[in-house]
Amino acid sequence: MLDFFRQLLAGIVDAWRRLSINARVQIGLVGLLTIALLMGTVYMGSQPQYAQLYNRLEMDESSQIVAWLAENNIPYQLKDGGQRIDISAKEISHAKVSLASLNLPKSQGVAPGFELFNTRDLMSNQYLQNVDYTRAVMGELQRQLNSFDFIRNSSVFIREAPEQLFSSQQKPSEASVILDVTGGPLSKSQVKAVLHTISSFGGANLSKNNIVITKTDGTPLHSPVADEFASLAGDKLDYKVALESQREQKIRNGIKQLGRNSIINVSADIDWSSESKTQKELGDKVAVSEMITEMISETAEGPPEGAPGATANIPEATVSGTSQTSLSESEIINNFDIPETLTTTVTGPGRVNKFIVSAIIEGNYGELADGEEGSLPYIPLTQEEILNFTQIISNAVGEGKLPTEVVVFDQAFNLNQMVVASAVPGVSSSLFQSRWLTTVLQGFLVLAAFLVIRLFMRRAMVLPTLEEQETVEIPELSPDEQRRHDMAAEVERLSQEEPETVAALLRTWMAMEEK
């Protein structure tokens, strides 16, 4: 190993000695330039990569934070007139924790929350309390939005609609939200999370259709729809796509486990109407009450009485004797109730009427004969296999109101042209951070330095000059040798400049020799 290095060093020294002064100067300059580039790259890489600590600060809070950073020897940069403070990205977590223990910053551009009610004002009235409550709701909502990782800061304004006695006269509240987001554009799920947070905590009369969400660069994230139909149409489309995609993936995974390639398309016929049915059933009669009424009447009469002789003047037919009458009546009234059972069935929208599935499934492949080359012979699916796949797909999809319609096709797949879709994660924003840019810049500078050194080395490796070449004495030629040398040079010249003349001369000489 030592001999190898000795030979390498000796070769380098020997090559250096054979170089001219101009070549040595060029190599020295290139070396110095390379060293300067490397030192500059190292210096740039050692510099702290600044990132935002706080933004939109009040001047008094900004001065307090700057004083704390200077006291702890943390380098910082002030921007936006002192409202924004940037420090090294490695120190952000430590600085925020330490400043939070000092209750800094107190606001950071966030409106006050329910701490507005910690102090009571004797001169306050109902109107001022309502205003303070609205301000507190906006402040608490702003804090909730700032707690999201993808939101750096937010601004919330809510126009609270006054409460009305009748719901028909109630007007909706409105909200306007401006978000300062981090990284790239927000996804649909993130926008929905922000929208649900605002609508849930923004007040009783605040709905999603009255919320405007905008980024600080003016990009709208959510705006009220023109009419209710447009909002419902968007939700319906999302529901339909999710329903079909879930069943397509379920079928595709099942067939993939069988070792076959497939293309699955599921279409769902969805009923968006809502139904409400009420069924009334009557049961057997049930006695509720019973009333019994009894009436008894008795009458008793004696013989006629009066002065003596009076009876003689009365006809016998009209003489009434003593009589008794007895009458008894009984009445029973029963009250019955017939029970009623009311069953109300409410069926919401989103029911599936029918699934339609089209599946393209790869068949089987045979084997090549001995010594035969080429692609494997394709064997289509049998009727039994198609029926089995149809049953498997039908069971996996399920049924709506009507039976599921499944159509299975047989098709050979070209594996050489198939591209397996893999989950490609989103490009991380850290790739665009300065530390990655520094690494890429360092690699580029090293490559550029290598190419420059290689170029100058190739130019410097020149043959020794005529002054450095050893002089060799050439003996003088005799007249005959000089004549032959001149003839050979003339023939060579003619063969290059006038090849046709030389060819004719050769043909003439050959003809003369034959004769």
Side-chain angles (χ1 to χ4, degrees), residues 173-357:
S173 302
E174 296 178 349
S176 175
V177 180
I178 300 177
L179 301 179
D180 183 9
V181 301
T182 60
L186 300 184
S187 62
K188 289 186 177 180
S189 59
Q190 292 173 334
V191 175
K192 284 186 177 180
V194 173
L195 189 61
H196 281 290
T197 303
I198 299 172
S199 62
S200 300
F201 299 96
N205 299 320
L206 183 61
S207 63
K208 301 177 184 178
N209 294 330
N210 296 296
I211 299 176
V212 178
I213 304 177
T214 311
K215 293 173 60 176
T216 52
D217 59 358
T219 303
L221 298 177
H222 179 268
S223 57
V225 294
D227 51 15
E228 185 179 1
F229 176 77
S231 176
L232 294 176
D235 295 338
K236 290 178 181 179
L237 180 60
D238 293 340
Y239 174 77
K240 188 174 186 295
V241 171
L243 186 66
E244 295 173 350
S245 300
Q246 186 269 340
R247 280 159 173 78
E248 288 177 358
Q249 188 65 29
K250 182 178 180 181
I251 300 172
R252 192 178 296 111
N253 292 337
I255 297 178
K256 186 177 180 180
Q257 292 179 359
L258 299 176
R260 295 180 182 272
N261 298 309
S262 62
I263 299 176
I264 308 298
N265 291 315
V266 177
S267 178
D269 181 14
I270 301 177
D271 184 8
W272 297 107
S273 61
S274 58
E275 297 180 356
S276 178
K277 295 181 179 180
T278 303
Q279 185 177 1
K280 181 178 180 181
E281 295 182 357
L282 300 178
D284 297 335
K285 62 181 181 177
V286 177
V288 177
S289 62
E290 182 179 10
M291 184 177 65
I292 301 175
T293 304
E294 293 183 356
M295 185 177 62
I296 301 175
S297 176
E298 295 182 355
T299 303
E301 295 182 1
E305 297 180 352
T311 55
N313 299 324
I314 299 175
E316 295 180 1
T318 60
V319 177
S320 59
T322 301
S323 64
Q324 294 182 355
T325 304
S326 178
L327 179 62
S328 176
E329 294 182 359
S330 177
E331 183 179 6
I332 300 176
I333 300 176
N334 292 323
N335 294 325
F336 294 92
D337 186 17
I338 299 177
E340 296 181 355
T341 302
L342 296 178
T343 303
T344 302
T345 303
V346 179
T347 304
R351 303 181 309 277
V352 178
N353 291 328
K354 184 179 182 181
F355 285 108
I356 301 176
V357 184

Side-chain angles (χ1 to χ4, degrees), residues 425-450:
V427 179
S428 175
S429 60
S430 61
L431 292 177
F432 304 98
Q433 293 180 355
S434 55
R435 61 188 184 89
W436 286 100
L437 293 177
T438 303
T439 304
V440 174
L441 181 60
Q442 291 175 356
F444 176 75
L445 291 177
V446 171
L447 179 60
F450 172 75

